[in-house]
Amino acid sequence: MNLTPFADLSPSLILDALESAGWQIDGRLLALNSFENRVYQAGLEDGRFVVAKFYRPGRWTPAQILEEHAFALELRAAELPIVPPLSHQGKTLLEHGGYRFAVFERRGGRAPELEGLDVAEWMGRLLARIHLIGEREAFAARVPFDLDHMLDQPADAAIRSGLIPDNLVEAYEDALDQIADEIDTLWSDIDPISLRLHGDCHPGNVLWTDQGPHFVDLDDCRMGPAIQDLWMLMTGGPAQQAALLKGYRTFRVLPPSERQLIDSLKILRQIHHAGWIAARIDDPAFPLAFPFALEPTWWESHINDLRAAARGA
């Protein structure tokens, strides 16, 4: 396993990769915020900009990435505000210097003011339209939103990382076992793998302009319950949440049973996030960005949160 997967991704390699894809680069290059992949804004000779995303080696297979691209293009063809990959000689997934990458149009915008009821309702309508497309067919290669990928694998990564103190591992495993049992019971009468989702629908993946919102980054798209794309946008009180759901129901019915999944989805995100950090801790960027994960006290607090969630589930 390469502990520094982007060590060879030099500025010259990035520019060469873009030129190999037919772009006339003027040499301007700006690294954008991304931990999982590496993302750069590059200037073109005609004054425009493009965004290049270099995928973390070994994370997704080509088939999984191509499903991400196909979903984005399907949504864009339905006139939904998604930023899809651009193609070069009929291909959206490109390779250069041992790296897979994709190129996107640069789209600006600001963070949405989700507490505004009109904004929340607009976001609900947009997500419903995305889900109407998402339920047309299923992903074949993308990983689903299930306990294996959201709990078991992240927990295994956390334990193998050595970040959890030895005296806390048993408590961590016990809390996870209880959470898994309770989620199994909760989900037994609900189909939690129901449609293609954005998958990581937090406010940072939404950009707002005078024309409204557009989504970026389908890197975590997967099969899952519709409520997974809604709960992270429930940033306000009851009125804001009601406006979001009102907008959603304009175009699509949300099964009432899915509201029961929110607490379990929140704790699964917390488990997955901790495991994600642990799995990447040997990447030099991660200890700098997440120094708290090196502290035993943070893991103790995390385990206490899991215990509380298990008791309250």
Side-chain angles (χ1 to χ4, degrees):
M1 180 179 181
N2 184 358
L3 301 182
T4 54
F6 295 106
D8 298 327
L9 191 60
S10 65
S12 61
L13 191 152
I14 295 164
L15 295 175
D16 287 346
L18 287 166
E19 289 182 345
S20 75
W23 298 100
Q24 301 299 313
I25 306 300
D26 67 5
R28 290 176 292 169
L29 194 64
L30 175 66
L32 303 179
N33 184 39
S34 178
F35 292 109
E36 185 62 15
N37 304 299
R38 295 295 183 267
V39 183
Y40 301 89
Q41 175 183 284
L44 305 181
E45 290 183 351
D46 62 9
R48 294 180 298 141
F49 293 89
V50 292
V51 173
K53 177 167 78 170
F54 289 79
Y55 288 89
R56 178 175 289 270
R59 186 187 183 213
W60 299 127
T61 66
Q64 289 169 328
I65 297 173
L66 287 171
E67 277 198 328
E68 170 204 335
H69 292 183
F71 187 38
L73 290 165
E74 184 181 358
L75 293 171
R76 192 70 187 89
E79 299 185 347
L80 289 167
I82 302 289
V83 181
L86 302 169
S87 64
H88 174 62
Q89 297 179 348
K91 296 180 180 180
T92 56
L93 180 57
L94 310 169
E95 290 191 47
H96 185 82
Y99 291 96
R100 296 189 179 103
F101 71 102
V103 182
F104 302 81
E105 175 188 355
R106 187 191 70 168
R107 295 286 299 276
R110 58 188 182 274
E113 298 177 0
L114 291 171
E115 287 70 23
L117 301 188
D118 290 343
V119 171
E121 192 170 338
W122 193 334
M123 290 300 305
R125 292 195 299 269
L126 175 54
L127 279 172
R129 294 176 62 207
I130 289 173
H131 289 173
L132 287 173
I133 303 297
E135 65 186 355
R136 288 179 178 176
E137 58 184 75
F139 284 134
R142 303 292 299 185
V143 301
F145 196 100
D146 59 16
L147 287 179
D148 179 37
H149 293 95
M150 300 304 297
L151 187 149
D152 294 339
Q153 291 186 25
D156 183 59
I159 292 170
R160 286 188 291 105
S161 71
L163 294 174
I164 304 176
D166 291 342
N167 65 312
L168 294 177
V169 170
E170 184 176 354
Y172 178 66
E173 293 176 328
D174 288 346
L176 291 176
D177 287 343
Q178 187 174 346
I179 288 170
D181 289 343
E182 289 164 349
I183 290 177
D184 270 335
T185 301
L186 175 64
W187 289 11
S188 61
D189 297 325
I190 303 172
D191 178 13
I193 315 296
S194 54
L195 52 86
R196 293 176 295 171
L197 304 171
H198 182 285
D200 192 26
C201 196
H202 59 78
N205 279 332
V206 183
L207 294 176
W208 198 277
T209 69
D210 292 341
Q211 288 72 46
H214 59 272
F215 278 100
V216 297
D217 193 5
L218 287 173
D219 199 61
D220 285 293
C221 63
R222 62 186 69 213
M223 299 294 295
I227 197 69
Q228 168 61 17
D229 275 354
L230 287 162
W231 74 261
M232 280 185 278
L233 299 178
M234 295 178 176
T235 58
Q240 188 266 351
Q241 297 180 24
L244 181 72
L245 294 174
K246 177 185 176 182
Y248 190 88
R249 294 188 182 110
T250 302
F251 291 105
R252 186 177 185 273
V253 174
L254 180 71
S257 58
E258 288 203 9
R259 296 288 299 274
Q260 304 171 33
L261 300 179
I262 292 177
D263 287 342
S264 63
L265 295 174
K266 288 181 178 179
I267 196 62
L268 286 178
R269 183 171 177 81
Q270 187 176 350
I271 293 166
H272 185 271
H273 183 68
W276 172 70
I277 294 172
R280 304 285 188 256
I281 203 64
D282 290 319
D283 181 327
F286 274 68
L288 295 174
F290 308 103
F292 53 81
L294 303 175
E295 301 295 331
T297 53
W298 184 81
W299 289 97
E300 184 174 6
S301 177
H302 175 56
I303 292 167
N304 287 336
D305 288 344
L306 298 183
R307 284 170 163 167
R311 289 193 298 268

